[in-house]
Amino acid sequence: MMKKFIEVSALLLACAGLLAGCAGTPAENNGTTAPAAAETSAPESRSETEAQWPRTYVDALGNEVVIESKPEKVISTFHAMFPDYFYTFGLSPLAVAAAESRFHHLSAFEEFLAVNKPEDIGPANSLNFEKILSLAPDLIIMTKLQEEVYPQLSQIAPAIVLDHTQINADWKYGVNEFAKIFGEEDKVDEIISGVEKTVADGAESLSQFRDKNETVIFLAVTGKQLFPYPVTQLQTVYNGVNEGGLGLTAPEAYTKLTDYSQPLSLETVAVDYKPDHLFIIADNVDGDAAQYITQLEENAVWKNMDAVKNNRVYKIDRSIFGFNAPIGTKFGVKFVVDSLTE
């Protein structure tokens, strides 16, 4: 199971780092409401709210999970994707896996983290069960990759296992599933239309850029290696305007990649891809990645790339289009539009 987790995490470029846990919940974070991620309708009356609970949610493993009341203190055992949906529905996570080493440093969530920083419960592949127990959560959201620890987590609180690959492939499905969990079905249409409008407005802003037929690629730096960023993470970038995307173009050789787990040589990027614009994605706390990027910038092959010579290299962290979730998508659209139109 551990080997499987590490391999998939590398492919998704979301491997969590090791960090220590400490007991207790600080006063500033007890699962409070997050800053509004979307305009919401008037609050329901108490009787309407109570009528929704308890409810039963059937998770990705077929578990029938009974949620007694509207969740307020919710833990995510995955630092990527899931917290985005928490914030989208106005809920600040009580705790997140790899919070201190990863999640607290993601640019897409700065406004939320400035108000409330979730507790850390250790890396996703080595959770701190004692810490989770001490936080007394109402609900725990976990991935199928963590199936073997479901018995332990479900003893602490109701635990729901979600298929992160399915949510990554279809963010609207993700919105609908989290709405069922949080009892927020009435907000689904508004959230989806809000994301679609952001993308449509971004596509319109890039109309003149598309006319230039310039190519765009995204590369991720992990440690001291360069990886192609999965196209499945970039639906919004490369889908056509009529398909709900920005309609940008990748080099033909880049579109033929099928194995995103294999590192790329700089020569491959420079000679085979020859991008006109290059987005470099790396974690802000990855010291090896920062050192490697510095080495790249001193390399003659790097310096000779058109994207570099024309000052068309843009650096950002992994929250850009993070697992195609709503907030990460909106953040990504703004960053891409600002970068390509400045």
Side-chain angles (χ1 to χ4, degrees), residues 156-278:
I156 296 174
I160 290 175
V161 178
L162 296 178
D163 185 344
H164 66 282
T165 57
Q166 186 174 2
I167 296 174
N168 181 53
D170 183 359
W171 66 272
K172 293 180 183 179
Y173 166 80
V175 171
N176 277 280
E177 292 309 297
F178 276 94
K180 295 174 188 176
I181 293 169
F182 295 145
E184 301 283 7
E185 290 91 340
D186 60 322
K187 296 179 182 177
V188 168
D189 291 342
E190 183 178 10
I191 289 169
I192 290 176
S193 63
V195 175
E196 290 178 334
K197 183 179 187 306
T198 296
V199 177
D201 290 347
E204 183 177 354
S205 299
L206 292 170
S207 60
Q208 293 184 9
F209 175 83
R210 288 194 300 273
D211 291 341
K212 294 187 288 186
N213 294 316
E214 294 177 349
T215 59
V216 178
I217 66 172
F218 291 71
L219 300 177
V221 177
T222 300
K224 295 186 177 181
Q225 291 181 306
L226 199 61
F227 290 85
Y229 207 63
V231 172
T232 55
Q233 290 289 88
L234 300 170
Q235 302 168 10
T236 305
V237 174
Y238 295 120
N239 281 359
V241 174
N242 294 329
E243 299 172 332
L246 298 177
L248 301 185
T249 302
E252 184 177 359
Y254 183 79
T255 64
K256 294 179 179 179
L257 277 171
T258 57
D259 187 355
Y260 298 99
S261 66
Q262 296 301 311
L264 296 171
S265 69
L266 180 56
E267 288 71 22
T268 296
V269 176
V271 177
D272 295 345
Y273 301 156
K274 300 178 182 177
D276 296 305
H277 298 263
L278 174 58

Side-chain angles (χ1 to χ4, degrees), residues 98-162:
E100 293 179 5
S101 65
R102 301 284 179 177
F103 186 70
H104 290 171
H105 306 278
L106 297 178
S107 300
F109 308 113
E110 282 183 351
E111 69 169 301
F112 303 101
L113 294 171
V115 175
N116 209 329
K117 284 190 175 182
E119 285 281 321
D120 190 290
I121 53 172
N125 58 358
S126 183
L127 296 169
N128 186 331
F129 297 110
E130 183 178 349
K131 179 65 175 293
I132 295 173
L133 179 63
S134 73
L135 293 172
D138 298 329
L139 185 66
I140 300 171
I141 307 292
M142 54 190 295
T143 79
K144 289 179 71 175
L145 295 173
Q146 299 162 317
E147 179 179 350
E148 70 176 18
V149 299
Y150 179 82
Q152 295 98 308
L153 291 176
S154 61
Q155 290 295 313
I156 296 174
I160 290 175
V161 178
L162 296 178

